[in-house]
Amino acid sequence: MVSATPASPPDGRRVALLTLGCARNEVDSEELAARLHAGGWAVSTDGEGADVVLVNTCGFVEKAKQDSIQTLLAAADTGAKVVATGCMAERYGRELAGSLPEAQAVLGFDAYPDISARLDAVLAGEKIESHVPRDRRELLPLTPVARRDSGVVLPGHGSPATPVRAEPAADEHTPAHLRPVLRRRLDSGPVASLKLASGCDRRCAFCAIPAFRGAFVSRTPDELLAEAEWLARSGVRELVLVSENSTSYGKDLGDPRLLEKLLPQLAAVPGIVRVRASYLQPAETRPGLIEAIAGTPGVAPYFDLSFQHSSEAVLRRMRRFGSTTRFLELLAAARELAPEAGARSNFIVGFPGETRADVDELVRFLSAARLDAIGVFDYSDEDGTEAVGLSGKVPAATVKRRYDKLSALADELCSQRAEERLGSTVEVLIDSVDDGVVEGRAAHQAPEVDGSTTLVAPPTGGVDLTALRPGDLVRATVTGTEGVDLVAVPVEMISASA
């Protein structure tokens, strides 16, 4: 791995790095940015004037794939050379290249350690062989503890292969703040994602991610603490822990309870005021982890639980576990420890074999769960998944009708949940101050997906609104709601940003 802050590159080789999809992709892009910067490229997120536009694509669902294609086509219109990488490029490779001649290259994950040289070749007009897709689960040993030293490229891990420049080797005695970090931030906001792991060992019938992201591999606590300290020194105040399945963290390192131990260590990093865990699997969310999330100072009492449905019959067909009763018990256990805890989840409607009774069961769960944010997705077949071959396909018109019904219910229920917070006290991390409008998020609001909190001036006294800055953490009283969004009056500064 290398330092994230090498000397500034010379002018003349400019790359715009555009990121689509999830927060995990954002971390991958910042690794690519560090490699490119160290290789002499001037890196930005603005395609204007770029020699090469590198699009980190998303290949999760059909809409995401279409967004990726549209972004690649728009990049080609700028006159720059266009390179596709990321999940869609990894998943489809030559097929994508054949259908998208506007892209000069389609690069998979294995190209990441050598990304600077690949773009040099593209800029020189050389023909780059397109990526050939393969099931990345087959590249890693079946035994989780044997995976770390396999030499397989893992995006966002500061992957193996050629370092970009020599650095003193780190060992177990090297303090976290002296460990090298392979990352270059692409924005200056007070929130950043920290990737716990890559890949997934689950076999959900609707999901293709393990085939192109690979089997589950954790990063070590030392790596994570070093990156957390580096992010804090760059002005980050909130860490959002991301992965395909955060509840599996540590199982390949010999300690399935490692996330419980890591959370207080991350929360103790100087400058960090909030740590947020995301992508929790309900079947793997153990009592000790619930206690760590609900009761550790500096850790947001926030439960991002991947329920997907609540009908036991549908969950079995999805190759998942749980039921309305079990899920409600899980939420109750969290709220017993932290009554104000936030909770969100996503749900799929129209999965093969889903009946009216299954939909009614999901409605029953949602009505009782008091979730702060609900994502509803209409099922569609995904290449390479088991669900493509399942019987009992729900007609498209029925899927749409169920989707519309559940989406409307979700909006109503989340608005009601926000109203329950009227009069309560929340801790708001300020994200932006723009023309006097101060926007932030309470502990139950993750970036971009769970709504926000607008701070308004108190009638008299209190915190001076005009003095607030991004990264400040304030205590506020909720005075209004707009859907899932809150309006609050700041009453106390908890921690001012540097």
Side-chain angles (χ1 to χ4, degrees):
M1 288 199 253
V2 298
S3 169
T5 55
S8 297
D11 293 334
R13 292 155 65 230
R14 297 161 296 178
V15 57
L17 214 172
L18 309 183
T19 307
L20 302 173
C22 64
R24 301 184 295 275
N25 251 17
E26 294 172 2
V27 177
D28 297 351
S29 285
E30 294 192 346
E31 177 191 305
L32 289 170
R35 292 187 182 278
L36 288 164
H37 185 82
W41 288 82
V43 184
S44 76
T45 56
D46 184 358
E48 185 174 349
D51 299 301
V52 177
V53 177
L54 180 63
V55 182
N56 188 353
T57 60
C58 179
F60 181 39
V61 293
E62 189 58 35
K63 184 181 184 304
K65 288 182 278 189
Q66 289 302 320
D67 288 345
S68 294
I69 290 172
Q70 292 301 319
T71 301
L72 289 162
L73 292 173
D77 289 341
T78 67
K81 294 184 182 295
V82 177
V83 176
T85 190
C87 290
M88 188 176 181
E90 174 66 38
R91 185 175 181 184
Y92 293 105
R94 285 182 176 174
E95 180 184 343
L96 176 62
S99 62
L100 198 70
E102 292 84 356
Q104 275 68 45
V106 175
L107 304 177
F109 297 148
D110 290 334
Y112 282 26
D114 198 31
I115 191 68
S116 180
R118 300 295 182 99
L119 295 199
D120 285 342
V122 168
L123 192 58
E126 297 177 22
K127 179 175 174 56
I128 305 295
E129 195 68 26
S130 295
H131 164 66
V132 179
R134 52 184 170 173
D135 189 332
R136 294 192 73 84
R137 290 171 294 192
E138 299 174 357
L139 302 180
L140 291 162
L142 286 175
T143 306
V145 295
R147 292 172 185 165
R148 180 166 178 80
D149 299 323
S150 64
V152 174
V153 173
L154 302 169
H157 285 228
S159 290
T162 311
V164 220
R165 78 172 193 190
E167 286 284 343
D171 60 25
E172 68 273 17
H173 303 297
T174 307
H177 70 280
L178 295 179
R179 290 175 178 267
V181 173
L182 182 56
R183 184 166 179 177
R184 181 176 179 81
R185 294 200 71 198
L186 292 171
D187 67 55
S188 58
V191 183
S193 296
L194 181 64
K195 180 176 279 193
L196 291 173
S198 286
C200 186
D201 287 342
R202 301 185 72 88
R203 294 295 181 266
C204 301
F206 54 82
C207 184
I209 289 176
F212 58 85
R213 275 289 184 177
F216 186 87
V217 183
S218 300
R219 300 176 68 195
T220 66
D222 286 345
E223 292 172 347
L224 294 168
L225 288 167
E227 192 166 315
E229 291 195 8
W230 177 80
L231 288 167
R233 292 195 301 273
S234 75
V236 170
R237 303 276 279 163
E238 176 176 335
L239 299 173
V240 181
L241 309 184
V242 300
S243 70
E244 275 76 26
N245 177 7
S246 296
T247 38
S248 281
Y249 178 69
K251 72 174 188 179
D252 52 326
L253 301 177
D255 187 354
R257 298 184 60 186
L258 199 53
L259 182 56
E260 301 166 30
K261 300 172 184 177
L262 179 65
L263 285 169
Q265 293 178 280
L266 291 172
V269 170
I272 299 300
V273 296
R274 179 184 289 165
V275 177
R276 182 185 304 277
S278 62
Y279 301 103
L280 307 177
Q281 288 290 341
E284 299 177 29
T285 304
R286 300 168 296 278
L289 182 57
I290 295 173
E291 292 172 10
I293 293 174
T296 303
V299 174
Y302 172 83
F303 293 85
D304 175 18
L305 294 158
S306 178
F307 290 131
Q308 302 300 345
H309 212 285
S310 73
S311 163
E312 204 164 358
V314 173
L315 288 166
R316 283 199 302 268
R317 287 174 69 85
M318 289 179 168
R319 294 197 179 276
R320 296 177 66 84
F321 305 95
S323 65
T324 293
T325 299
R326 291 181 183 179
F327 292 163
L328 290 176
E329 289 173 349
L330 178 57
L331 291 169
R335 288 167 176 153
E336 182 177 359
L337 296 172
E340 79 288 359
R344 80 167 326 273
S345 192
N346 295 324
F347 299 88
I348 298 172
V349 294
F351 189 79
E354 183 188 64
T355 65
R356 291 181 182 177
D358 294 325
V359 176
D360 290 343
E361 183 68 2
L362 179 53
V363 168
R364 184 171 81 87
F365 170 71
L366 292 175
S367 300
R370 297 170 58 234
L371 298 174
D372 293 277
I374 299 169
V376 181
F377 296 87
D378 49 338
Y379 172 81
S380 62
D381 285 339
E382 278 296 313
D383 301 335
T385 63
E386 180 186 354
V388 170
L390 291 179
S391 60
K393 292 293 174 64
V394 181
T398 303
V399 174
K400 184 180 186 307
R401 187 165 59 251
R402 292 175 182 177
Y403 169 81
D404 291 343
K405 173 184 176 180
L406 268 295
S407 295
L409 176 63
D411 289 344
E412 179 184 350
L413 292 172
C414 291
S415 294
Q416 291 174 5
R417 176 62 178 143
E419 290 171 0
E420 291 179 16
R421 296 188 182 274
L422 284 169
S424 68
T425 300
V426 293
E427 294 185 358
V428 179
L429 182 78
I430 296 170
D431 288 325
S432 65
V433 180
D434 188 11
D435 289 334
V437 178
V438 182
E439 290 282 344
R441 289 168 298 100
H444 69 280
Q445 296 171 320
E448 300 181 3
V449 294
D450 294 340
S452 64
T453 298
T454 301
L455 296 181
V456 296
T460 56
V463 175
D464 179 6
L465 211 63
T466 64
L468 296 178
R469 298 291 180 267
D472 289 346
L473 183 69
V474 301
R475 188 168 285 110
T477 301
V478 179
T479 58
T481 67
E482 298 176 9
V484 297
D485 298 327
L486 304 182
V487 179
V489 172
V491 295
E492 180 185 3
M493 175 69 76
I494 300 173
S495 174
S497 60

